[in-house]
Structure formats: C-alpha cells, structure tokens
C-alpha cells in the first residue's frame, strides 16, 4: 500500500514538472512601431516574472520603424532565456532584424525573410547611405552575436554569416553562390535553412514546440489590454502629428480670440493625450512635461501680464516646442549630451509634420473657406457692422494735408473751403477766417481737416 502511495506521489510530481514547462508567446503581426515596442516590453517583463522556459516570437510583419525595431532587437538579445522566432509568412525589413535577434528561427513553407534596406516612409525610396550604413552595422552585429561553431573539419564558422545579414540591406554586398550585386537579399524558407538563417520548417506554433522538445509545453500568450491598445493608438506617429497640430493650432487661435474658449480647451486635451501615454510608457520623463507646462505659463503671462511681445513669449514658445520634440525620444535615463541621432530625426520629422498641419489648419479655418462659427470668434476676421453700433469714418480728407485752398465761407471757426475744386468742411486752427482768404491744410484730426490763414 505504501509502495503504491509513493508511486502515486511520483506520478503527480512528474505531471507537475511537465505541466510546469511554459512557452510564452509574443505576437508581432503588425507594423513595427511604438505600439509593438510597448507590447514587447510588457511581454518580456511578464515572461520573466512567470519564469517561462521559452519565449516564442510569432512574426508576420512587413517591417516599420528602424528605431523601434532596434529597441526590440536589443531587448531580445538581452533576454535571459531562449528566444525562438516563428516566421509565419513575412519577416521583411525590420521584421528580418527581429528574427535575426532570436536564438532559433522556424519558417512556414512559402515564407520569406530579408529586404532590410532603410526606405523613406513617404515614397518608399531608399534612404542615403548614412542610414544604410547604420542598418548594415546593426544587422552585422546581430548576426555576430550568435557566435561561431566548429564544423566537421574542426574549423570555426559563423552560426549566422554577418555578410549575408549585410546583403539583406545593401545591393553592393556579394555572397558567392547566393546573391550578386544587383539586388537586395530576401530568403525563401528553403534558402534560409540552407544558409543557416533558419533551423527548420514549421506550419504552426504547436509544431514549432514539438520540434524543439518532446515534452509538452503549457502555452501562455501575451494579450494586450484595452489600455495597451489605447496607448498604442496615441503613440502612433501619425496620431502624434495630429495632436501637435491641435496643440499649436489651439494656442495660436486662443491668442487671437477674445477670452478663453474652445481653442484653449482643445489644446489642453490634445496635450494630455500627447504626453500622458508617453509618460505611462516611460518614454517622456516628468521634467519634459514640466518644461511644457512652464512654456504654457510663460505664454499666458505674455498674453495677460507682460505688454507687447518679447522675451517671455519667445521663451514660452521655445519651451513648448522643445518639450514636444524631446517627449518623442525613446529613453530611460535621458542625457542631454547623448541623444540618439535616429530618434532625434524621427522626433523632428513628426514635430515638423504637426507644425505644417497646424499652419494649414489655421489658414483654412481663418480664411473665407473656413467655418463661419470659427471665423466669427477670431479677431483676425472680426468685422465692425453698423447694425452693431459701429460708425464708418471717411478718411479721404486726410489726403489734402499740406494743400492750399480758399475759404468760401466765413470760418467762425468752422466753415467751408475749396481745394482743387473740391468743397470741404474745415476748422480754423486759431481765430476766425473771412471768406475769400487763402488757407492751408495743416492737419487731419477727429475726422476733420484743420486750416490756417496764409
């Protein structure tokens, strides 16, 4: 009886051991950007907290931001456990870099991996060699990270050939027997296996796990929450550019509108939606937000306290612009003297796009094509109507200042004068002037011309 009891305990312990082996799944099936970088960070943190035995990255992407792909690559390279990539159809451009960062790669039949040339986001043309050089070095160093092995002839060979990694970026890189200097390298599944950039084929995640280990894995998958989706939406570069447009446009329209109204409310809401996701994600530090608030305070002081437009307004606008740009730069321990050039240029591109959109929106809203309810509330288009009690004043007589004429009536002190054949009302500057006396117009004031006797 005791014997059976111990056998039962051993069986239960064995089942718990098998059940305890966990594979954590991270799906990167979208454009690589701030959203996928956030998902990656949260997934890696959760996988480490759960002490998962394996991290499996499900890849099906055409690429995206190099900056965020580099962050994902670095995080995967530094992950303490084994990392496996399953290329489910596509690992192009930034996706190829991420796949290369994984310890083991499986590819579906008919999948492809490569074409990592850095391109312009607007028209898809290749960026200058400065950017390609950075991407080549990144691909090469990622391949070198996997080290070397001894083959059957006891010679050392790269596990992932760095030259092949460079050929995915630059057409000038030649790999004999694989690629010439006329095209960028993209692997098929069979080619990737042949050239040691993938270990095997697989048609599903379960098949990948079966080929890795005969033991059963408990699968845990990272599922983004509604908050993750919301933060991902507001950290999208296109959305950030629109928010910058609303912030700048709102501040400008408020400066030209009486009182405090809709433009300032729109700018405040846009600023909250801009900075809050960046702060929650750990991208924007609190001191950057304080710079933005300080800029707003300086602009308000310029509007209501300091007369004219001077150093206060310039300093306020500068603080707002600096905060909007620095808030976009990915960082953990930000140093003002060490800013990643790629991140800075990316931030500037988003900021400039937002400014251009703001200028276009302001022009449209304040023009004759814009909505009347907006133009009615701006000083730029405010008209003074007679029905509202405003009186128009004819400024034509001011033209006659300096001209000579003749008094055609006695001026005591008001009367009439004739100048260049025109009969005009006039006032004598001093004393009375008799009719027929020659006079000269000396000034125009209070809608009236003033004359003196010559």
């Amino acid at each position: 009886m005791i014997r059976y009891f111990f056998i039962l305990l051993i069986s239960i312990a064995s089942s718990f051991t098998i059940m305890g082996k966990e594979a954590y799944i991270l799906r990167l099936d979208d454009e690589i950007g701030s959203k996928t970088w956030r998902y990656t960070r949260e997934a890696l943190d959760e996988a480490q907290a759960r002490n998962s035995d394996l991290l499996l990255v499900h890849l099906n992407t055409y690429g995206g931001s190099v900056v965020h792909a580099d962050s994902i690559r670095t995080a995967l390279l530094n992950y303490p456990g084994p990392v496996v990539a399953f290329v489910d159809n596509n690992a192009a451009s930034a996706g190829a870099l991420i796949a290369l960062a994984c310890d083991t790669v499986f590819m579906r039949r008919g999948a492809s991996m490569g074409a990592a040339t850095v391109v312009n986001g607007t028209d898809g043309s290749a960026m200058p060699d400065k950017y390609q050089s950075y991407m080549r070095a990144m691909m090469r160093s990622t391949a070198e990270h996997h080290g070397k092995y001894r083959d059957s002839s006891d010679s050392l060979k790269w596990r992932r050939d760095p030259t092949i990694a460079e050929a995915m970026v630059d057409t000038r890189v030649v790999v004999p027997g694989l690629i010439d200097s006329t095209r960028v390298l993209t692997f098929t599944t069979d080619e990737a296996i042949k050239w040691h950039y993938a270990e095997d084929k697989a048609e599903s995640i379960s098949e990948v796990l079966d080929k890795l280990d005969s033991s059963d894995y408990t699968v845990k998958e990272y599922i983004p929450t509604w908050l993750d989706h919301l933060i991902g939406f507001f950290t999208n570069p296109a959305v950030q550019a629109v928010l910058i447009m609303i912030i700048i446009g709102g501040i400008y329209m408020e400066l030209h509108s009486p009182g405090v109204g809709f433009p300032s409310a729109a700018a405040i809401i846009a600023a909250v939606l801009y900075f809050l996701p960046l702060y929650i994600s750990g991208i924007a530090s609190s001191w950057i937000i304080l710079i933005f608030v300080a800029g707003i305070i300086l602009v308000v002081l310029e509007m209501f306290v300091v007369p004219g437009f001077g150093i206060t307004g310039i300093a306020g606008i500068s603080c707002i612009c600096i905060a909007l740009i620095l808030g976009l730069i990915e960082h953990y321990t930000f140093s003002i003297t060490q800013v990643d050039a790629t991140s800075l240029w990316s931030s500037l591109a988003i900021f400039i796009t937002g400014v251009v959109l703001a200028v276009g929106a302001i022009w449209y809203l304040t023009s004759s094509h814009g909505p009347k309810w907006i133009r009615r509330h701006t000083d730029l288009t405010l008209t003074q109507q007679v029905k509202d009690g405003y009186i128009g004043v004819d400024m034509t007589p001011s033209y006659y200042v300096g001209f000579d004429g003749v008094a055609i009536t006695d001026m005591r002190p008001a009367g009439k004068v004739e100048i260049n054949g025109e009969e005009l009302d006039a006032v004598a500057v001093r004393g009375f002037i008799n009719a027929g006396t020659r006079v000269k117009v000396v000034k125009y004031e209070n809608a009236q011309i003033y004359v003196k006797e010559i």
Side-chain angles (χ1 to χ4, degrees):
M1 186 71 178
I2 295 175
R3 177 186 174 189
Y4 288 116
F5 177 72
F6 277 112
I7 291 173
L8 180 61
L9 285 179
I10 292 170
S11 300
I12 293 172
S14 299
S15 66
F16 273 114
T17 302
I18 295 172
M19 292 278 295
K21 201 163 188 181
E22 181 179 88
Y24 196 92
I25 312 296
L26 167 62
R27 294 184 182 272
L28 299 179
D29 301 341
D30 203 348
E31 181 180 356
I32 303 302
S34 57
K35 179 172 67 175
T36 49
W37 168 222
R38 173 179 169 80
Y39 293 171
T40 300
R41 282 184 299 174
E42 294 201 347
L44 296 187
D45 290 342
E46 187 175 342
Q48 285 187 263
R50 295 176 63 88
N51 199 25
S52 299
D53 300 278
L54 174 72
L55 177 67
L56 196 151
V57 181
H58 182 277
L59 272 173
N60 186 14
T61 177
Y62 289 104
S65 165
V66 176
V67 175
H68 297 100
D70 183 31
S71 300
I72 295 172
R73 171 197 79 112
T74 305
L76 294 177
L77 289 177
N78 294 327
Y79 185 73
V83 181
V84 178
F86 172 44
V87 179
D88 190 1
N89 289 332
N90 297 297
S93 190
L97 176 64
I98 294 170
L100 185 57
C102 299
D103 302 313
T104 309
V105 178
F106 288 85
M107 296 179 67
R108 180 188 288 274
R109 288 177 179 83
S112 58
M113 175 174 65
T117 304
V118 183
V119 297
N120 191 316
T122 51
D123 57 8
S125 60
M127 295 291 283
D129 190 63
K130 170 184 175 181
Y131 298 90
Q132 310 304 340
S133 174
Y134 182 78
M135 189 65 176
R136 283 197 304 270
M138 199 187 307
M139 292 287 286
R140 184 175 63 248
S141 64
T142 306
E144 290 174 352
H145 177 85
H146 296 290
K148 296 182 177 182
Y149 71 97
R150 291 190 179 276
D151 62 4
S152 55
S153 62
D154 201 36
S155 59
L156 285 174
K157 288 188 175 181
W158 288 106
R159 182 162 175 260
R160 306 274 196 247
D161 189 343
T163 306
I164 292 176
E166 287 189 74
M168 292 183 179
V169 180
D170 198 334
T171 56
R172 295 172 297 182
V173 179
V174 177
V175 180
L178 176 62
I179 193 90
D180 56 23
S181 60
T182 62
R183 55 198 175 98
V184 174
L185 175 62
T186 300
F187 274 134
T188 64
T189 300
D190 290 332
E191 287 173 338
I193 294 171
K194 177 182 176 182
W195 292 90
H196 308 292
Y197 264 65
E199 274 62 41
D200 205 348
K201 300 176 185 177
E203 297 302 308
S204 63
I205 290 176
S206 59
E207 187 176 344
V208 171
L209 296 176
D210 288 340
K211 290 189 174 185
L212 285 172
D213 199 315
S214 58
S215 303
D216 293 329
Y217 277 95
T218 300
V219 176
K220 169 65 178 177
E221 183 174 342
Y222 170 72
I223 305 296
T225 64
W226 67 270
L227 181 60
D228 294 323
H229 286 298
L230 194 62
I231 291 175
F233 174 78
F234 283 111
T235 53
N236 182 283
V239 176
Q240 288 172 329
V242 172
L243 291 175
I244 290 174
M245 174 195 74
I246 297 172
I247 293 169
I248 294 175
I251 293 173
Y252 179 87
M253 296 293 286
E254 190 60 49
L255 289 172
H256 292 80
S257 302
V260 178
F262 176 75
S264 59
I268 291 171
I269 293 172
V272 171
L273 295 177
Y274 180 84
F275 282 108
L276 188 59
L278 295 173
Y279 181 75
I280 293 174
S281 302
I283 298 172
S285 300
S286 55
W287 65 270
I288 294 177
I289 299 175
L290 289 176
I291 288 178
F292 180 82
V293 174
I296 295 295
I297 293 173
L298 289 172
V299 169
V300 171
L301 289 176
E302 183 72 26
M303 290 170 58
F304 299 108
V305 180
V306 182
F309 184 81
I311 189 66
T312 310
I314 295 172
I317 293 171
S318 300
C319 287
I320 291 171
C321 294
I322 289 171
L324 290 173
I325 294 170
L326 294 184
L328 292 171
I329 299 176
E330 298 271 359
H331 65 89
Y332 293 103
T333 54
F334 184 80
S335 172
I336 230 133
T337 57
Q338 296 178 346
V339 181
D340 178 66
T342 306
S343 299
L344 181 59
W345 282 114
S346 175
S347 302
L348 284 172
I350 295 172
F351 175 76
I352 292 171
T353 302
V355 171
V356 171
L357 290 174
V359 171
I362 291 168
W363 173 84
Y364 172 74
L365 293 174
T366 58
S367 71
S368 59
H369 304 287
K372 291 184 178 180
W373 66 273
I374 290 180
R375 290 187 287 118
R376 260 200 322 266
H377 293 85
T378 61
D379 289 336
L380 294 175
T381 55
L382 184 64
T383 58
Q384 297 176 334
Q385 302 291 336
V386 174
K387 64 181 181 180
D388 296 325
Y390 294 100
I391 300 174
V393 177
D394 184 11
M395 298 293 292
T396 305
S398 63
Y399 165 76
Y400 294 103
V401 174
F403 280 65
D404 294 343
V406 177
I408 57 176
T409 66
D410 291 337
M411 305 186 69
R412 302 179 180 273
K416 291 185 179 293
V417 296
E418 182 181 326
I419 303 173
N420 290 350
E422 293 285 336
E423 186 178 306
L424 303 169
D425 293 323
V427 177
V429 173
R430 60 179 177 271
F432 298 153
I433 300 176
N434 296 324
T437 306
R438 291 187 57 78
V439 294
K440 182 174 184 177
V441 180
V442 293
K443 65 178 179 178
Y444 176 81
E445 190 175 274
N446 299 325
Q448 184 69 60
I449 60 173
Y450 290 79
V451 298
K452 69 177 182 179
E453 183 179 349
I454 299 176

